[in-house]
């Protein structure tokens, strides 16, 4: 059997083995832990001489671990394993004369240590009380009192690390039972062996210092793990402290170099500081460990001082020291949070704070962002403390006054691009993204300072911005683009203070002192002509600032012309990142200041004319797994065209600016749409024949026309805002030509091209605002083109949503057209609803189409157009409308749609049910509608909850039942006693409801208000479903 197991492991681990044979071997090995006697076989494979291959021995231990962990072995079997493994460990790791080459590989040592850990978990509580003493004995030569045997020391430390990971590693997920077991084992270790173990670490460090750096590293790593859960007084003694200091600051080489040992020692100090304890104890620990002295020594060392600006700068060391400083200051801040002025801890914490702050700022201001980031958390903690307590605590207030200025200075300097950075370089995109992320974190710190001391923040930032602009004005060639970018970035962020009240001005006066400072910066920005800088980062920042603070130009329109001149230069930039972003920003700026552009509209349009020609490209196929960078995304044909559309919208805004005469508006529009129409003529023929590039070009042209219309007019039909007025008739006539061109394309190409329908739908929604009621005669053609036989459910739903807007906007003018269109329109919708869903996406689209259909009916009913549903032209289709609503109201798989269906039915009742009736006969406006709503609508209220899949506890189901209750209440309001008699004699009795419940139900319906009856009905449905 032993040979069979060995052979199976060898086959399973051989890459070239036969696949079927390998599969059988793996299956055989997986079954071993459950086999009787498997522990004996695997133990023998591991310890026997001559040794098996390493993979066999490793796998044997793995099986042994599973067997031990399964709990199926009795104590005698576990003891046998323990004795054999300890005998092996003594012969391998504790024999002075042993050949070093015979020691197991590090990988196998770790595996054996894991097996010893499984035995520890099982036997340490009651069977193996000498566990740590037995393994610790491996560290000494025969008769020696020191830890002088390297293989044994290494194995002992590996076992300790494995034990920590098994019972105390907080990053591992454990069951409650595992956590309880781990806590019990930790308690036993603290009680029995913690003191001996801690003492052994100091002996190992003393024995192997300067001899074997790997042992020192392993010992320090062990201390760093165990310190979190054993008594710190056992670990932190003067001896260990001095040993750690020496390892951290000593420059004498170890056997394998000092660097790794120093890094591990720093990590160990950091882990010691991470141990949870009371803030006052932590302050004492900081002083005892002399952390500040250690850090100060390292900061002044050649590695971090003399070599700081060279390629030999030890960034790893700086990062490790920064983390140590971060934990130290965070502990000091926690002590300050818990103390008051009269507490001695406050004085101690303030003293340490003063000592650590210069060290924090040293690492915060480091050229390398990774090092700076190490201390951002503690700075955030400190500034948050100042914000919370500087007004309530005099001592903290005193420290905030002294410390905020240097912290703010450091933050501002760190906001600057460093000297080695470049902007817009494709090879530096990752660095750029990381720097922008760092800026966001720094901005949070700045805003905290602004909350603590607004005057300091405003004074500092004003000086930075204004002085930089003045330097640029004196000699632009001597100002680094990085300084300009810093000033403008800070000016942009300053808006969170300057725009707090929503704007810069109130009745021509600055709203706040921060707004006044910001206005001063804006004057400097435009007067010093910072935008003349040729660096693209500065140019984009200039545009961002002008857009954000457009209120300044409303109050100072004399600067708009010069600013737009700079904008036009920037939008012609050849850098793709600048070009695509600047087109958007140009549109935003123009939209804000459009009312001041009347005199320069023609000049601006002419200056942009060379950017307007559209050239479509077939987009590249992008797989779902592709990793497209943001820069590549900006350069994609789709992204470039989307940005170009902003120029068309901007031109629409400029054309419609106040002060531009109507005849000039017409001229400007023709100037823009003329080339688009010519392009239509060129590409429409090939598009009809299926030319993909021509189809894409037609799509782009339609989108451009729609976007031009959106920019031209903010007016919407039925708008009551005096600020939004419909365009002049002459202008609408020009856009009517655009609509006609789009319809021609739609009618020619749309049958097989969804992309054209998408563009046309986009344009239709934008043209409504410039055409007004002129679009109504074209509506049949729009519906014909946009709701073709190949239109998807999603397309239908989107167009129905657009029709809702048209019906609402032109409710007084649309009746005749709607009367003609309604039946064929609804027939196409019914066809779409009747089609079965073929997947999840299709199901979502179908549900959306159902809801849009019901919403369309509601728009008709809510805008006094109900007569169109029952007109002579549409009366034949009214039965289909009702039956469709009934079907949707009974659908327990889609409660939102069912709820909306009940809402439509309720609206029909209030529309055609006639006046409210308390006594007497109903008087519906539609003859016979009183009987119709009792016999057809009322039973639906019970049809939905009677469905097998109806869940009365579902929140959306309860809402649907609430609407059903509202429908019954509406029917009762219109029919009175007649409805109660119908329910008693026909509907409720036919359902099998007992007389007592019927009486109770009718009383609730007739007496309760709508809210009370809704609650009653929902409760009744829940009771009936139990």
């Amino acid at each position: 059997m032993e040979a069979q197991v060995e052979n199976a492991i060898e086959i399973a681990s051989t890459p070239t083995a036969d696949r079927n044979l390998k599969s059988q071997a793996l299956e055989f090995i997986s079954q071993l832990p459950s086999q009787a006697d498997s522990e004996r076989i695997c133990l023998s494979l591991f310890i026997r001489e001559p040794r098996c291959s390493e993979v066999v021995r490793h796998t044997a231990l793995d099986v042994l671990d599973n067997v031990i962990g399964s709990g199926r072995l009795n104590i005698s079997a576990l003891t046998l394993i323990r004795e054999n493994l300890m005998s092996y460990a003594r012969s391998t790791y504790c024999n002075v004369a042993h050949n070093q080459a015979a020691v197991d590989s590090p990988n196998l040592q770790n595996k054996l240590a894991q097996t010893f850990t499984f035995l520890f978990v099982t036997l340490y509580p009651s069977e193996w009380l000498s566990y740590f003493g037995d393994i610790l004995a491996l560290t000494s030569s025969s008769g020696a009192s020191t830890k002088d045997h390297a293989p044994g020391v290494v194995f002992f430390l590996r076992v300790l690390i494995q034990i920590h990971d098994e019972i105390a590693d907080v990053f591992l997920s454990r069951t409650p039972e595992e956590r309880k077991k781990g806590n019990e084992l930790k308690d036993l270790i603290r009680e029995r062996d913690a003191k001996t173990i801690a003492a052994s670490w100091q002996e190992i460090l003393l024995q192997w210092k300067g001899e074997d750096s790997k042992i020192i590293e392993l010992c320090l790593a062990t201390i760093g793990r165990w310190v979190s859960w054993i008594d710190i007084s056992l670990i932190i003694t003067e001896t260990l402290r001095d040993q750690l200091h020496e390892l951290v600051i000593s420059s004498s080489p170890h056997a394998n170099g000092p660097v790794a040992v120093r890094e591990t020692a720093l990590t160990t100090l950091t882990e010691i500081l991470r141990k949870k304890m009371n803030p006052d104890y932590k302050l004492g620990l900081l002083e005892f460990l002399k952390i500040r002295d250690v850090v100060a020594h390292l900061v002044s060392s050649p590695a971090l001082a003399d070599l700081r600006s060279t390629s030999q700068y030890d960034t790893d060391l700086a990062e490790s020291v920064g983390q140590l400083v971060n934990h130290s200051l965070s502990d000091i801040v926690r002590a300050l949070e818990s103390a008051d002025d009269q507490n001695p801890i406050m004085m101690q914490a303030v003293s340490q704070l003063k000592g650590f702050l210069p060290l924090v700022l040293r690492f915060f201001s480091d050229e390398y962002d990774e090092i700076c980031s190490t201390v951002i958390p503690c700075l955030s903690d400190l500034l948050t403390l100042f914000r919370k307590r500087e007004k309530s605590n005099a001592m903290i207030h005193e420290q905030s006054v002294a410390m905020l200025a240097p912290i703010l200075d450091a933050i501002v300097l760190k906001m600057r691009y460093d000297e080695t950075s470049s902007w817009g370089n494709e090879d530096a995109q990752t660095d750029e993204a990381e720097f922008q992320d760092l800026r966001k974190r720094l901005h949070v710190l700045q805003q905290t300072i602004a909350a603590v001391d607004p005057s300091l923040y405003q004074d500092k930032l004003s000086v930075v911005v204004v002085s930089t602009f003045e330097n640029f004005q004196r000699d632009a060639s001597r100002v680094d683009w990085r300084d300009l970018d810093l000033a403008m970035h800070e000016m942009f962020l300053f808006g969170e203070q300057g725009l707090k009240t929503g704007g810069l001005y109130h009745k021509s006066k600055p709203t706040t002192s921060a707004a006044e400072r910001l206005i001063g910066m804006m004057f400097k920005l435009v007067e010093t002509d910072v935008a003349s800088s040729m660096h693209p980062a500065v140019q984009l920042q200039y545009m961002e600032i002008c857009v954000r603070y457009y209120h300044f130009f409303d109050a100072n329109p004399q600067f708009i012309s010069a600013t737009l001149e700079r904008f036009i230069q920037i939008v012609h930039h050849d850098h793709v990142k600048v070009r695509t972003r600047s087109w958007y920003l140009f549109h935003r700026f123009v939209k804000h200041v459009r009312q001041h552009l009347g005199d320069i509209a023609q000049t601006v349009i002419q200056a942009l004319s060379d950017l307007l020609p559209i050239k479509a490209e077939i987009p590249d196929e992008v797989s779902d797994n592709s990793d497209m960078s943001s820069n590549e995304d900006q350069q994609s044909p789709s992204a470039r065209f989307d940005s170009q559309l902003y120029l068309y919208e901007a031109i629409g805004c400029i054309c419609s600016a106040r002060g531009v005469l109507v005849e000039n508006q017409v001229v400007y529009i023709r100037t823009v749409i003329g080339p688009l129409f010519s392009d239509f003529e060129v590409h429409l023929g090939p598009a009809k024949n299926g030319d993909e590039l021509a189809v894409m070009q037609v799509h782009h042209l339609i989108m451009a026309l729609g976007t031009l219309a959106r920019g031209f007019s903010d007016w919407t039909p039925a708008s009551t805002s005096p600020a939004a007025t419909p365009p002049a008739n002459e202008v609408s006539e020009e856009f009517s030509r655009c609509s006609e061109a789009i319809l021609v394309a739609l009618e020619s190409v749309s049958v097989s091209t969804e992309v054209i329908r998408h563009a046309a739908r986009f344009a239709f929604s934008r043209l409504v605002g410039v055409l007004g009621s002129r679009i109504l005669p074209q509506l049949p053609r729009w519906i014909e083109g946009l709701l073709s036989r190949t239109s998807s459910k999603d397309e239908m739903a989107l167009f129905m949503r657009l029709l809702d807007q048209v019906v609402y906007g032109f409710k007084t003018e649309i009746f005749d057209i709607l009367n003609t269109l309604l039946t064929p329109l609804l027939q196409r919708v019914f066809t779409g609803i009747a089609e079965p869903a073929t997947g999840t996406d299709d199901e979502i689209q179908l549900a959306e189409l159902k809801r849009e259909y019901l919403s369309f009916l509601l728009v008709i009913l809510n805008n006094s157009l109900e007569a169109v549903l029952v007109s002579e032209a549409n009366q034949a289709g009214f039965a289909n409308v009702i039956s469709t609503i009934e079907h949707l109201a009974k659908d327990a798989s889609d409660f939102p749609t069912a709820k909306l269906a009940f809402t439509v039915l309720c609206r029909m009742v209030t529309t055609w049910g006639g006046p409210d009736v308390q006594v007497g006969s109903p008087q519906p406006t539609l003859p016979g509608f009183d009987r119709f709503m009792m016999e057809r609508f009322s039973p639906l209220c019970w049809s939905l909850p009677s469905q097998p899949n109806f869940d009365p506890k579902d929140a959306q189901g309860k809402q649907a039942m609430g609407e059903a209750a509202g429908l019954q209440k509406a029917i009762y309001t219109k029919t009175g006693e007649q409805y109660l008699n119908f329910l008693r004699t026909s509907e409720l009795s036919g359902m099998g409801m007992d007389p007592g419940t019927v009486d109770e139900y009718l009383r609730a319906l007739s007496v309760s208000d709508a809210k009370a009856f809704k609650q009653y009905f929902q409760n009744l449905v829940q009771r009936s479903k139990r």
Side-chain angles (χ1 to χ4, degrees):
M1 183 65 176
E2 189 173 313
Q4 187 180 1
V5 172
E6 181 178 6
N7 189 41
I9 296 173
E10 293 286 5
I11 293 172
S13 61
T14 303
T16 58
D18 178 76
R19 180 177 298 179
N20 292 331
L21 193 60
K22 191 171 186 176
S23 176
Q24 293 174 25
L26 289 171
E27 178 64 23
F28 175 76
I29 295 168
S30 68
Q31 298 297 323
L32 275 177
S34 59
Q35 300 279 328
D37 211 28
S38 59
E39 69 278 5
R40 181 193 60 78
I41 296 170
C42 290
L43 180 62
S44 176
L45 285 174
F46 178 74
I47 65 177
R48 83 177 186 193
E49 294 288 347
R51 293 182 176 180
C52 301
S53 67
E54 182 161 329
V55 67
V56 171
R57 301 180 73 210
H58 191 285
T59 305
L61 284 179
D62 195 47
V63 174
L64 196 58
D65 291 347
N66 287 326
V67 173
I68 296 171
S70 68
R72 70 176 179 83
L73 298 181
N74 56 32
I75 295 299
S76 60
L78 291 170
T79 303
L80 181 63
I81 295 172
R82 158 197 162 184
E83 290 172 351
N84 278 276
L85 288 182
M86 274 306 304
S87 176
Y88 171 82
R90 292 188 187 100
S91 64
T92 305
Y93 299 107
C94 192
N95 187 348
V96 177
H98 197 283
N99 183 359
Q100 182 68 25
V103 175
D104 295 322
S105 67
N107 184 46
L108 203 54
Q109 287 184 46
N110 283 330
K111 189 61 187 173
L112 181 58
Q114 189 176 39
T115 304
F116 269 90
T117 300
F118 277 101
L119 290 171
F120 161 81
V121 171
T122 306
L123 298 176
Y124 182 70
S126 58
E127 302 298 330
W128 196 357
L129 305 185
S130 61
Y131 178 90
F132 290 104
D134 292 346
I135 299 178
L136 187 59
L138 303 176
T139 64
S140 302
S141 303
S142 299
S145 60
T146 57
K147 308 295 183 286
D148 61 344
H149 193 64
V153 170
V154 170
F155 183 71
F156 169 67
L157 295 173
R158 290 185 191 279
V159 170
L160 292 184
I161 289 175
Q162 290 284 355
I163 288 175
H164 164 82
D165 293 347
E166 178 67 25
I167 68 173
D169 191 338
V170 296
F171 295 106
L172 293 180
S173 177
R174 293 181 173 86
T175 64
E177 293 76 13
E178 290 171 336
R179 285 196 296 271
K180 181 181 178 182
K181 178 70 172 176
N183 290 333
E184 291 172 350
L185 288 169
K186 285 188 288 185
D187 289 339
L188 287 174
I189 292 174
R190 295 184 189 108
E191 179 184 340
R192 298 174 183 172
D193 296 297
K195 187 174 182 180
T196 302
I197 294 170
S200 71
W201 295 331
Q202 297 185 25
E203 294 175 26
I204 292 170
L205 291 175
L206 185 63
Q207 177 72 36
W208 294 98
K209 181 183 64 175
E211 297 293 332
D212 192 325
S213 63
K214 294 298 182 183
I215 290 180
I216 299 297
E217 287 180 54
L218 198 58
C219 185
L220 293 173
T222 307
I223 295 172
R225 282 172 164 84
W226 280 58
V227 72
S228 63
W229 54 276
I230 65 173
D231 187 352
I232 198 168
S233 65
L234 299 176
I235 302 175
I236 305 305
T237 63
E238 289 188 8
T239 302
L240 182 65
R241 178 197 65 189
D242 294 342
Q243 288 174 327
L244 288 172
H245 285 187
E246 184 176 354
L247 293 172
V248 167
I249 67 179
S250 174
S251 58
S252 61
H254 296 170
N256 296 311
V259 175
V261 171
R262 183 181 59 195
E263 294 291 333
T264 308
L266 283 169
T267 301
T268 302
L269 279 174
T270 303
E271 290 300 323
I272 291 171
L273 292 182
R274 286 166 61 93
K275 184 175 177 65
K276 295 180 180 179
M277 58 179 67
N278 290 335
D280 52 342
Y281 294 159
K282 188 61 72 72
L283 290 181
L285 181 63
L286 283 170
E287 289 189 354
F288 178 79
L289 291 175
K290 301 180 181 178
I291 298 295
R292 186 196 172 283
D293 295 341
V294 172
V295 173
H297 181 91
L298 290 171
V299 167
S300 62
S301 68
L304 298 186
D306 301 344
L307 301 177
R308 182 174 179 181
S309 300
T310 71
S311 60
Q312 296 177 294
Y313 181 47
D314 193 339
T315 55
D316 291 336
L317 174 61
E319 197 166 343
S320 296
V321 179
Q323 290 170 352
L324 182 61
V325 170
N326 178 70
H327 285 292
S328 300
L329 187 65
S330 293
D331 288 332
I332 295 170
V333 170
R334 277 190 282 273
L336 289 168
E337 287 176 340
S338 63
D340 53 43
D341 283 346
Q342 307 303 319
N343 195 323
I345 296 175
M346 176 65 74
M347 296 294 294
Q348 184 183 8
V350 167
S351 175
Q352 293 201 24
L353 175 61
K354 291 177 181 178
F356 269 97
L357 185 63
L359 300 174
V360 172
L361 295 181
R362 151 64 181 87
F363 290 98
F364 181 76
S365 60
D366 197 281
E367 175 185 353
Y368 290 88
D369 295 343
E370 297 85 352
I371 298 170
C372 166
S373 297
T374 60
V375 295
I376 288 180
C378 70
L379 266 182
S380 178
D381 291 343
L382 178 61
L383 294 175
T384 301
L385 171 72
F386 287 162
R387 180 172 57 83
K388 290 180 177 178
R389 299 196 60 192
E390 67 98 20
K391 292 182 179 179
S392 62
N393 189 300
M395 191 169 293
I396 291 179
H397 172 73
E398 180 182 343
Q399 299 311 310
S400 71
V401 170
M403 294 179 179
L404 285 179
I407 294 174
L408 182 57
D409 289 341
I411 293 172
V412 172
L413 286 176
K414 197 59 194 173
M415 284 276 196
R416 184 181 184 272
Y417 278 96
D418 61 50
E419 298 299 330
T420 62
S421 61
S422 59
W423 188 93
N425 190 334
E426 291 187 14
D427 297 332
Q429 291 182 54
T430 301
D431 292 340
E432 172 71 15
E434 290 174 350
F435 178 65
Q436 294 305 327
D437 182 65
L438 176 64
R439 274 187 162 180
K440 292 177 182 177
R441 298 172 69 190
L442 296 174
H443 173 54
V444 174
L445 299 180
Q446 269 193 179
Q447 290 305 110
T448 308
I449 292 177
V452 177
D453 193 340
S455 298
L456 171 67
Y457 175 80
Q458 293 171 24
D459 291 344
K460 173 63 180 177
L461 271 298
S462 297
V463 169
V464 170
V465 174
V466 173
S467 62
T468 304
F469 291 168
E470 290 176 345
N471 291 339
F472 181 83
Q473 188 176 31
R474 281 194 294 269
D475 188 353
S477 63
R478 301 188 65 178
V479 178
D480 193 312
W481 72 267
R482 297 171 181 83
D483 295 320
L484 275 178
D485 173 82
L486 172 64
M488 299 177 78
H489 181 68
E490 291 289 10
M491 182 177 173
F492 184 85
L493 299 180
F494 198 89
E496 295 197 14
Q497 298 295 312
L499 298 177
K500 271 189 174 180
T501 59
L504 293 174
Y505 296 92
H506 178 67
K507 296 182 179 179
S508 302
K509 299 291 184 181
T511 53
T512 61
S513 61
E516 186 175 4
R517 296 288 186 95
L518 193 49
I519 292 167
M521 296 180 200
M522 285 299 297
F523 274 111
K524 282 292 181 184
L525 177 74
V526 295
E527 290 171 351
T528 56
D529 196 19
V530 173
S532 63
S533 168
M534 298 306 295
H535 197 278
V538 175
Q539 293 175 333
L540 271 187
Q541 284 276 28
Y542 174 81
M543 295 185 76
E544 298 275 7
I545 288 171
C546 290
V547 170
R548 185 170 198 188
Y549 306 133
Y550 69 90
H551 312 85
F552 171 82
F553 295 97
D554 282 335
N556 302 279
Q558 69 273 19
F559 294 115
I560 291 178
S561 180
T563 301
L564 274 177
E565 184 178 347
R566 288 300 183 193
F567 269 46
I568 289 171
Q569 292 174 1
I570 299 171
V571 298
H572 284 84
H573 204 285
D574 57 359
H575 193 292
V576 63
K577 184 176 179 180
V578 177
R579 186 166 61 248
T580 53
R581 181 64 180 172
S582 66
W583 290 353
Y584 166 73
L585 293 172
F586 180 83
H587 149 256
R588 288 279 310 278
F589 185 72
V590 164
K591 192 170 184 179
H592 288 313
V593 301
R594 65 193 296 182
Q595 302 309 327
H596 303 289
L597 301 180
D599 297 337
I600 58 174
Q602 183 177 5
T603 304
V604 176
I605 294 171
Q606 289 175 347
L608 295 174
S609 60
D610 61 316
L611 299 175
L612 297 181
I614 293 172
K615 184 178 180 181
E617 298 178 52
I618 302 299
D620 296 331
E621 292 293 330
V622 179
S623 68
D624 293 339
N625 297 324
S626 66
D627 184 16
M628 178 179 284
S629 70
S630 59
N631 192 57
E632 290 171 335
D633 191 43
Q634 290 173 351
Q635 296 184 54
S636 68
S638 176
R640 288 197 300 272
F641 175 65
D642 289 344
S643 297
Q644 191 178 21
L645 288 179
Y646 287 119
L647 294 178
Y648 278 93
E649 186 168 353
I651 287 178
C653 291
I654 296 169
C655 290
S656 62
R658 184 184 302 162
V660 178
L661 299 176
V662 172
E663 52 266 32
N664 288 339
Q665 292 182 5
V666 172
V667 171
Y668 300 155
I669 294 171
R670 288 176 179 173
T671 301
V672 177
I673 67 176
L676 300 180
F677 285 171
S678 300
D679 219 359
F680 260 121
E681 295 176 1
V682 172
H683 291 92
L684 197 55
K688 290 180 184 178
N689 296 326
D691 185 295
E692 189 177 359
L693 183 60
V695 169
M696 188 60 65
Q697 183 73 13
V698 172
H699 166 274
H700 285 13
L701 295 171
I702 294 173
M703 295 285 286
L705 290 174
T707 306
L708 179 70
R710 177 169 62 181
F712 194 93
S713 177
D714 293 329
W715 178 78
T716 56
S719 173
T720 58
S721 171
T725 56
N729 288 332
E730 296 89 336
V731 172
S732 294
E733 185 62 36
E734 294 303 316
F735 281 107
S736 183
R737 294 172 55 213
C738 297
S739 179
E740 182 64 29
I742 295 170
L743 283 169
V744 170
L746 189 60
E747 292 163 347
S748 303
V749 190
S750 71
V751 173
S752 58
T753 311
E754 183 179 344
V755 68
I756 298 298
R757 294 198 298 271
H758 166 268
R761 190 166 55 247
F762 171 90
F764 174 81
S765 65
R766 275 74 181 173
L767 286 168
V768 170
V770 290
L771 292 181
S773 59
R774 288 173 179 266
I775 204 169
L776 296 180
Q778 297 177 335
L779 201 54
R781 296 171 65 193
W782 281 105
I783 293 175
E784 183 67 26
L786 292 175
L787 294 183
S788 71
R789 292 183 180 87
T790 59
S791 295
S792 66
K793 298 179 181 65
D794 189 45
E795 289 183 80
M796 291 184 186
L798 289 171
F799 187 65
M800 294 292 290
R801 198 174 302 154
L802 291 178
L803 280 182
D804 290 349
Q805 300 172 19
V806 173
V807 171
Y808 172 75
F810 302 108
K811 53 190 171 186
T812 60
E813 305 163 82
I814 201 174
F815 182 89
D816 291 338
I817 294 175
L818 188 60
N819 191 44
T820 304
L821 295 175
L822 186 64
T823 294
L825 170 66
L826 293 182
Q827 284 298 331
R828 295 195 181 185
V829 174
F830 294 156
T831 301
I833 292 176
E835 292 177 357
T838 57
T840 303
D841 290 343
D842 207 27
E843 289 176 357
I844 294 173
Q845 293 179 9
L846 177 59
E848 188 65 24
L849 177 59
K850 292 174 181 178
R851 287 192 281 272
E852 290 302 331
Y853 159 68
L854 294 171
S855 297
F856 179 66
L857 294 178
L858 270 180
V859 170
I860 291 175
L861 293 167
N862 289 336
N863 288 281
S864 303
L865 293 169
E866 64 277 1
V868 76
L869 293 171
V870 292
S871 68
E872 184 177 350
N874 300 305
Q875 194 169 22
F878 185 64
N880 286 337
V881 172
I882 296 298
S883 61
T884 307
I885 299 172
E886 289 175 331
H887 172 73
L888 298 178
K890 294 186 289 186
D891 188 357
S893 65
D894 187 359
F895 286 133
T897 300
K899 175 188 173 185
L900 192 56
F902 281 117
T903 303
V904 173
L905 294 173
C906 192
R907 184 61 187 167
M908 286 182 171
V909 169
T910 58
T911 300
W912 289 315
D916 294 352
V917 174
Q918 296 296 330
V919 294
S921 300
Q923 300 176 14
T925 56
L926 280 181
F929 192 72
D930 52 338
R931 295 298 304 177
F932 185 82
M933 57 189 178
M934 286 189 291
E935 294 173 356
R936 294 285 295 274
F937 291 178
S938 181
L940 294 174
C941 301
W942 294 99
S943 295
L944 177 63
S946 65
Q947 299 297 317
N949 58 337
F950 178 82
D951 181 3
K953 296 181 180 179
D954 186 283
Q956 292 182 327
K958 292 180 68 175
Q959 291 178 354
M961 287 294 90
E963 289 298 316
L967 174 61
Q968 294 174 81
K969 197 70 176 175
I971 295 173
Y972 171 72
T973 302
K974 300 300 181 182
T975 58
E977 283 294 329
Q978 191 176 106
Y979 183 43
L980 297 179
N981 291 333
F982 172 80
L983 289 172
R984 183 186 299 276
T985 60
S986 180
E987 183 174 319
L988 299 182
S989 59
M991 291 167 48
M993 187 178 291
D994 65 87
T997 305
V998 170
D999 291 339
E1000 176 190 288
Y1001 183 85
L1002 297 181
R1003 185 165 54 253
L1005 176 62
S1006 59
V1007 176
S1008 303
D1009 59 20
K1011 184 177 180 180
F1013 180 69
K1014 172 182 174 180
Q1015 185 65 47
Y1016 169 80
F1017 185 65
Q1018 290 172 334
N1019 292 337
L1020 180 63
V1021 169
Q1022 285 193 2
R1023 292 200 307 269
S1024 67
K1025 296 293 288 186
R1026 288 173 185 169

